[in-house]
Amino acid sequence: MKQLLVLLLMLVTMTAAAETPEEKGLRIAQEADAYDTGFTDFTADMLMTLRNKKGDESIREIRVRTLEVEGDGDKSLSIFDRPRDVKGTAMLTYTHGLKPDDQWLYLPALKRVKRINSRNKSGPFMGSEFAYEDLGSQEIEKYTYKFLRDEACGDLQCYVIEQYPAYKYSGYTRRVVWVDKEFYRPMKVVFYDRKNELLKTLTNSGYQQYLDHYWRADKMDMENHQTGKSTTLSWSNYQFKTGLTDRDFIKSKLKNYK
Amino acid sequence: MIKGLTIIGLTLAVCAGTPASGSDWSGYISGEYRYFSHDPLYPEQRIQYWSLATQPEYYREWEGGDQSFTFTPFARWDRFDERRSHWDIRELNGYWNLDDWQLVAGVSRVFWGVTESNHLIDIINQTDTLEGVDGEEKLGQPMVHGTWTQDWGALDLFLLLGFRERTFTGESGRIRSPLVVDVDNPIYESPRENKHIDYAVRWSNSYDIWDIGVYYFYGTSRDPRLEPGVNDEGEAVLIPHYDIIGQLGLDAQVFLGNWTLKLEALDQRRREEKYAAAVAGFEYTFVGVLESQVDIGTLVEYSHDTRGNASTSPFANDIFLGMRLTPNDAQSTELIVGLVYDLDYDGEVYRIEASRRLFSSWKISFEAQTYSGIDQRDPLLYPVRDDDFLQLDIAWYF
């Protein structure tokens, strides 16, 4: 009996040891994804503050609506309220895993819906330090993973995981992500550019829990170390399970979101 | 127009019953300066012009946006060009979202098309040519417009209630023909004249990397034939003739990596005649050139019209080469430069458009156009060969 127990213990230890850093990284990403699954949809207001090296600020106000899509990337709609000259502009995105997103932009001055060639997601969103690829839904297959270490992050304990974009035309060679062990919330992300040089750091703070389960950060600070510019996203009015459907995310409705 | 307004009245009456969940005014006020670098060809014209314009918009929504009301008047006052001082109701409509159906009733605007140089298939709204040479500014059109969305795409059904005549520059304005257009005495093929009810049906859908749309329009042509005549004062003028047409239109786009291929084509029956026209081309985008955030797009488009020299369009047999510069900066700077080369007459038209946000709610726009090697036989461009201009526009958005 005692021998059996020792054998079992040995087996458990061996299985654990057999998990490579790559497997552990993937497992944590899968657990994080599973934790956030089932939010169905949400709406929120985003205030984006852009800061240049001199500290001059400019703002954008955007209303965001997102629909969870099972087996594919989410559908999202962004409606611009400020700056005033782009008021009424709306962007519809069907995010996908490895294949390029489908994206349409409605330009109110011309009443024109323009499909955007979205193969390359490395470009900046609205002149900010956030690239399109930073804001799209984070599907598991978009990256390969490697667990680096356990580390304290503020008062919390974090997994530190390295992620390598699996889709083409990313602006990064890798991202290093700190996720807290209890709720898999990304606390910090460090981005390395195509030359593998330090590019940006994203710090998330003010996490709030919605529907007693889903966590969203109130504040996201992105600092570009190469240009000295930074962008802060402040989120408010988060509402989950609002009853949005596929019919709310169609091209022909873009001109009626104001 | 009257019918359209009646519908608006009804819309308002229905909407007024329920409490609004949001309402607001927005829009712009702008000042524009135009400088023509050559002396005018016709006596009443000038070298410099300036004008003021405004386009406020009132928007109110109910039921979280499932019902809304929009009112967008537009007005321009031009210091020297009397006819360019004009106003219009760009939008005055009610909108209902009924799950699979969306309904718009009232004055509205609709744009169709994919190419940059030639807006060939766009037909629902009349062009406000007083507002710009690119034909992108449109007059409000009274309509009932239903959109039915299903898995196989979107079906748009239009009843166009009443016709809007094209605007034309007056005697004191530039970029015009030697004879001015007599906008007071148009000739219609339909005995119902500008009360003819037009209709249009369009199907469109996206399949993976493809976007496609097909439509049929039956009604009064937006694009008049201009025939020499005499006005009420006995002066020689051009008389616009608005024929009844049937038009089949197609637009398609395909996205292949950094390439976008574009096509617009139409087939039109006008009186006993029949003609076809098309514009096809591509846009190739260099993303993040030289490790920067700047995107550069290169555009090539070819336009053809089977009417050849008899075409009412300046794009009968023309090549457009263009470049779009998008720095993706905080001020949303945009720059597009282009050249249209006429393969029939060898003439060239160069054009620059640029804009940039200033502070938080101002925008400055610059536009310039210049003509080179315009042939005497070119019926559309020879009369405007000396109308090279620079234009500066500063707008405040509220």
Side-chain angles (χ1 to χ4, degrees):
Chain A
M1 189 65 195
K2 205 175 175 184
Q3 274 175 331
L4 193 68
L5 206 66
V6 171
L7 205 71
L8 257 171
L9 262 170
M10 272 176 67
L11 206 68
V12 168
T13 331
M14 272 170 66
T15 324
E19 190 180 42
T20 64
E22 286 76 15
E23 284 165 351
K24 188 169 179 184
L26 176 64
R27 179 171 58 79
I28 294 164
Q30 284 166 340
E31 285 166 7
D33 187 66
Y35 186 89
D36 202 52
T37 299
F39 68 82
T40 319
D41 70 73
F42 72 80
T43 64
D45 296 338
M46 180 169 103
L47 172 69
M48 188 180 234
T49 308
L50 280 63
R51 252 169 257 101
N52 68 11
K53 225 191 296 190
K54 288 184 284 178
D56 300 334
E57 290 188 353
S58 62
I59 61 153
R60 282 111 182 73
E61 279 176 33
I62 300 161
R63 280 171 286 152
V64 179
R65 299 173 188 181
T66 296
L67 180 73
E68 188 177 22
V69 179
E70 270 184 51
D72 201 352
D74 300 339
K75 291 181 178 178
S76 79
L77 183 69
S78 307
I79 306 153
F80 297 83
D81 291 327
R82 269 170 209 278
R84 289 308 234 180
D85 62 297
V86 298
K87 185 180 155 46
T89 303
M91 192 167 66
L92 175 67
T93 311
Y94 295 174
T95 56
H96 300 298
L98 294 180
K99 84 174 190 169
D101 297 345
D102 298 318
Q103 198 163 59
W104 295 268
L105 189 68
Y106 172 66
L107 304 165
L110 302 175
K111 305 283 150 191
R112 181 172 184 176
V113 176
K114 238 182 144 172
R115 184 158 168 185
I116 299 172
N117 201 336
S118 64
R119 186 182 74 159
N120 201 312
K121 299 176 209 173
S122 63
F125 177 78
M126 293 290 286
S128 76
E129 298 314 307
F130 285 84
Y132 282 92
E133 61 186 316
D134 304 337
L135 294 165
S137 74
Q138 304 292 318
E139 303 302 305
I140 290 176
E141 67 267 30
K142 281 186 169 178
Y143 301 91
T144 56
Y145 304 85
K146 186 175 160 189
F147 171 78
L148 295 181
R149 59 186 180 272
D150 293 316
E151 197 173 280
C153 45
D155 300 333
L156 303 168
Q157 283 301 312
C158 277
Y159 299 115
V160 186
I161 299 157
E162 200 157 55
Q163 306 182 334
Y164 312 92
Y167 52 94
K168 283 184 184 170
Y169 314 108
S170 171
Y172 315 121
T173 45
R174 59 188 174 108
R175 320 190 309 179
V176 180
V177 185
W178 279 254
V179 289
D180 87 284
K181 290 186 174 181
E182 199 178 358
F183 297 113
Y184 304 98
R185 295 169 296 193
M187 309 306 287
K188 187 166 95 164
V189 185
V190 179
F191 300 80
Y192 294 84
D193 68 11
R194 290 195 183 111
K195 290 177 189 149
N196 203 18
E197 275 160 25
L198 176 65
L199 178 63
K200 307 188 287 193
T201 301
L202 170 69
T203 311
N204 294 336
S205 58
Y207 268 102
Q208 308 249 20
Q209 198 175 24
Y210 299 91
L211 302 180
D212 290 328
H213 185 84
Y214 304 101
W215 292 91
R216 293 290 182 274
D218 275 354
K219 206 159 158 261
M220 302 177 169
D221 289 290
M222 183 74 92
E223 192 189 347
N224 188 317
H225 304 292
Q226 295 184 359
T227 62
K229 293 191 220 169
S230 65
T231 299
T232 300
L233 306 187
S234 302
W235 294 88
S236 59
N237 290 328
Y238 260 112
Q239 287 182 39
F240 283 76
K241 302 199 173 167
T242 61
L244 292 171
T245 66
D246 275 325
R247 284 282 181 269
D248 295 301
F249 295 84
I250 55 177
K251 204 170 45 155
S252 52
K253 278 192 188 162
L254 276 176
K255 78 176 277 192
N256 298 101
Y257 294 114
K258 285 183 191 165
Chain B
M1 191 70 198
I2 304 301
K3 276 181 188 160
L5 290 174
T6 313
I7 287 161
I8 293 306
L10 287 171
T11 311
L12 273 173
V14 172
C15 290
T18 42
S21 54
S23 71
D24 117 75
W25 280 99
S26 59
Y28 67 81
I29 296 170
S30 68
E32 181 200 274
Y33 171 78
R34 262 184 190 180
Y35 173 78
F36 289 86
S37 55
H38 298 296
D39 288 335
L41 289 168
Y42 316 115
E44 311 280 320
Q45 295 177 326
R46 299 176 51 90
I47 290 272
Q48 298 182 75
Y49 293 82
W50 60 268
S51 68
L52 300 170
T54 184
Q55 185 172 290
E57 176 169 287
Y58 176 74
Y59 174 78
R60 186 170 176 173
E61 66 175 37
W62 293 264
E63 311 284 337
D66 283 344
Q67 284 176 34
S68 64
F69 168 77
T70 306
F71 173 46
T72 318
F74 166 82
R76 179 177 297 281
W77 173 78
D78 193 292
R79 172 69 183 81
F80 302 109
D81 184 352
E82 217 172 275
R83 221 189 259 177
R84 199 164 177 245
S85 294
H86 70 301
W87 67 276
D88 182 41
I89 294 172
R90 298 294 202 221
E91 283 193 74
L92 177 59
N93 63 58
Y95 163 80
W96 293 266
N97 176 20
L98 310 158
D99 203 24
D100 288 351
W101 278 92
Q102 295 163 265
L103 195 67
V104 175
V107 179
S108 185
R109 281 181 296 169
V110 171
F111 178 88
W112 295 338
V114 293
T115 55
E116 293 300 319
S117 59
N118 180 2
H119 301 307
L120 182 70
I121 63 148
D122 189 32
I123 195 163
I124 297 295
N125 292 77
Q126 179 59 272
T127 305
D128 190 353
T129 64
L130 295 171
E131 278 307 299
V133 287
D134 57 10
E136 286 179 348
E137 289 297 326
K138 299 286 175 176
L139 298 174
Q141 168 70 46
M143 66 175 78
V144 178
H145 171 200
T147 305
W148 187 35
T149 308
Q150 290 294 310
D151 294 337
W152 40 260
L155 197 66
D156 286 283
L157 306 170
F158 293 85
L159 268 184
L160 305 166
L161 309 163
F163 179 72
R164 303 293 313 273
E165 290 160 25
R166 182 165 287 189
T167 57
F168 287 98
T169 311
E171 272 190 283
S172 51
R174 288 189 75 155
I175 320 182
R176 66 166 174 89
S177 49
L179 296 179
V180 295
V181 177
D182 182 9
V183 289
D184 299 324
N185 298 295
I187 294 174
Y188 289 93
E189 181 181 342
S190 165
R192 300 200 59 197
E193 303 197 317
N194 63 355
K195 287 171 194 71
H196 186 270
I197 295 176
D198 304 340
Y199 71 84
V201 182
R202 181 175 189 257
W203 165 82
S204 60
N205 203 7
S206 297
Y207 298 99
D208 192 27
I209 55 169
W210 287 85
D211 266 14
I212 196 156
V214 180
Y215 75 81
Y216 184 73
F217 168 92
Y218 181 81
T220 307
S221 171
R222 274 51 183 149
D223 178 25
R225 285 180 293 120
L226 299 173
E227 307 280 350
V230 180
N231 69 4
D232 300 339
E233 282 82 46
E235 295 158 345
V237 289
L238 292 174
I239 306 286
H241 290 248
Y242 292 102
D243 302 323
I244 293 290
I245 60 164
Q247 180 167 306
L248 199 60
L250 165 80
D251 62 88
Q253 274 189 115
V254 59
F255 296 81
L256 301 162
N258 289 343
W259 295 88
T260 306
L261 308 184
K262 308 173 183 194
L263 170 71
E264 290 185 24
L266 65 80
D267 183 88
Q268 190 187 98
R269 270 165 210 278
R270 185 189 284 248
R271 300 191 302 171
E272 259 70 74
E273 291 164 52
K274 191 172 179 317
Y275 86 96
V279 48
F282 67 81
E283 175 160 4
Y284 182 87
T285 311
F286 297 91
V287 181
V289 287
L290 303 170
E291 299 293 316
S292 72
Q293 298 195 329
V294 181
D295 295 343
I296 293 178
T298 49
L299 296 140
V300 177
E301 292 174 2
Y302 171 69
S303 293
H304 192 82
D305 186 322
T306 58
R307 292 172 296 179
N309 299 346
S311 173
T312 54
S313 155
F315 295 98
N317 184 22
D318 294 65
I319 282 185
F320 164 74
L321 304 173
M323 193 190 77
R324 189 204 311 271
L325 188 80
T326 316
N328 289 309
D329 58 349
Q331 293 78 27
S332 305
T333 309
E334 278 172 38
L335 173 74
I336 181 160
V337 293
L339 148 71
V340 175
Y341 177 70
D342 189 317
L343 294 163
D344 289 330
Y345 301 112
D346 290 337
E348 290 159 12
V349 180
Y350 296 86
R351 194 172 158 75
I352 294 180
E353 283 176 47
S355 66
R356 182 179 171 85
R357 185 181 310 112
L358 296 175
F359 314 113
S360 60
S361 44
W362 292 77
K363 189 169 159 182
I364 184 163
S365 309
F366 173 77
E367 203 176 308
Q369 183 159 306
T370 177
Y371 307 83
S372 165
I374 303 297
D375 194 294
Q376 279 192 39
R377 294 167 302 157
D378 189 333
L380 294 169
L381 289 183
Y382 190 69
V384 300
R385 66 193 176 278
D386 281 347
D387 289 337
D388 305 337
F389 72 93
L390 307 172
Q391 176 181 307
L392 197 67
D393 185 285
I394 295 178
W396 174 66
Y397 288 82
F398 55 93

